[in-house]
Amino acid sequence: MDATAKAEPGAEKEQYSMHSFGAVFAEVRIDADLGRIRIPRIVGAYHVGRRLNAKTAHSQLTGGIVWGVGLAMMEQTLIDARDGRVVNANLAEYHVPVNADIGDIEVAFVGDPDPQINSLGVRGIGEIGITGVAAALANAVHHATGIRVRELPITLDKLIA
């Protein structure tokens, strides 16, 4: 590599997307009698450029999807209206999904290495796996029930009309 090569992208930065992106699709099953919302399947397709390590890339995105399920179905931040402070800022009320909460997760990689980003054609994966999961679950719940939930977490009490 040339020692004088610039690390900063040039005009390409203005012409091309420099970030990873993806799409997430979810299937839900709702049992109103038992008060359960189940998620049997989530599919995510991502363009992350060249994957330097396929196994860790797949694991990163799978973990992001699980994290997104927790965000959509279990996490809630309660704010004290008097002073704007978070009243549940501790791990005592922080719920996370476990194996029984997660169905099949499929992760697909689309696209080719991205030579506009860098010479290796790689993009960052980071937290791209969580992006879109809550929206996909909210849309799946809307499709199943006809009720649009606009506030997380998505819980059965919000589906009772």
Side-chain angles (χ1 to χ4, degrees):
M1 185 170 153
D2 184 8
T4 61
K6 291 173 30 177
E8 296 288 322
E12 292 90 0
K13 185 176 182 181
E14 302 300 321
Q15 296 175 350
Y16 300 100
S17 172
M18 297 290 166
H19 304 285
S20 297
F21 55 88
V24 181
F25 307 91
E27 177 184 341
V28 297
R29 293 195 179 130
I30 300 171
D31 187 335
D33 294 331
L34 295 177
R36 298 197 89 143
I37 301 172
R38 303 303 261 164
I39 306 164
R41 183 170 61 145
I42 298 179
V43 177
Y46 302 94
H47 186 335
V48 296
R50 180 185 314 247
R51 294 172 287 149
L52 298 179
N53 186 317
K55 185 181 271 189
T56 57
H58 186 273
S59 294
Q60 177 75 18
L61 293 173
T62 302
I65 290 172
V66 173
W67 189 17
V69 170
L71 167 72
M73 308 304 288
M74 299 174 182
E75 293 182 24
Q76 183 176 19
T77 302
L78 301 173
I79 306 293
D80 187 342
R82 295 173 296 177
D83 57 12
R85 298 183 81 125
V86 177
V87 296
N88 61 340
N90 58 57
L91 294 177
E93 298 176 24
Y94 190 79
H95 298 241
V96 294
V98 296
N99 287 348
D101 297 319
I102 304 297
D104 292 332
I105 296 177
E106 297 175 41
V107 173
F109 294 94
V110 297
D112 296 321
D114 193 348
Q116 279 77 29
I117 294 282
N118 52 48
S119 59
L120 290 175
V122 298
R123 293 180 175 183
I125 293 178
E127 295 180 2
I128 191 69
I130 192 174
T131 307
V133 175
L137 289 169
N139 284 332
V141 166
H142 177 259
H143 181 74
T145 64
I147 299 170
R148 179 67 69 185
V149 178
R150 298 191 183 275
E151 186 176 319
L152 299 178
I154 302 168
T155 53
L156 194 66
D157 60 311
K158 295 175 183 166
L159 302 178
I160 298 172

